[in-house]
Amino acid sequence: MPVGRERGFGLVLQAMAFAASKHRRQRRKDAEASPYINHPIALAEVLWHEGGVRDPVTIAAALLHDTIEDTETTPEELSGAFGSSVASVVEEVTDVKWLTRRTRKELQVARAGRASVRAKQVKLADKICNLRDILASPPEGWTREQQREYFDWAKRVVDEVRGANAKLERRFDQLYRERP
Ligand code: ZN
């Protein structure tokens, strides 16, 4: 369901504040250990500026995309605060925690094609941001082989979601060509 412009701004700001609070003690794995919240904000920017996405539910879900997976946040908490549309997109992009890393990654490939268009766009933005981060400042201790593996896995996910946002898909493909 589309959200009106006024309420859209409010929703996005509320999501930003909520995510900033939930991620406040987390750092990214880059050499500078930059604040975690920079990552969800980067996704929102990619969606808006590069993907032309104007749907506040998608932008809010991007800001919140790692809260269930990486912080003490429940789906019920999200639907209470932001409504079920936002919460369900975040759930769609959340990996199942109790599985091994390898199984989680395979499952993400398998589930990607069945995701909603909103969730597919969030996935695209996430992969774009992660490739950029690896190219600019790889996670501490990652070998070139690990970087390549990430690029290839990200491409498998993106190949499953094609058709959701042509601009973002092109942007991803450009970045993939810079594979380490
Ligand atoms: Zn992410």
Side-chain angles (χ1 to χ4, degrees), residues 95-107:
D95 284 343
V96 184
K97 254 186 222 167
W98 44 269
L99 296 169
T100 64
R101 195 168 158 277
R102 170 153 274 176
T103 316
R104 270 200 317 258
K105 292 199 136 192
E106 285 309 313
L107 203 60

Side-chain angles (χ1 to χ4, degrees), residues 1 7 11 57 61 75-92 116 118:
M1 204 178 54
R7 215 173 86 63
L11 187 72
V57 171
E76 294 71 32
E77 196 178 351
L78 287 185
S79 59
F82 300 99
S84 57
S85 314
V86 173
S88 71
V89 177
V90 178
E91 281 194 85
E92 283 185 276
S116 66
R118 282 168 167 159

Side-chain angles (χ1 to χ4, degrees), residues 39 65-66 126:
H39 169 64
H65 81 282
D66 277 333
D126 196 25

Side-chain angles (χ1 to χ4, degrees), residues 109-122:
V109 176
R111 286 170 66 197
R114 279 173 274 140
S116 66
V117 173
R118 282 168 167 159
K120 284 177 177 175
Q121 295 189 104
V122 173

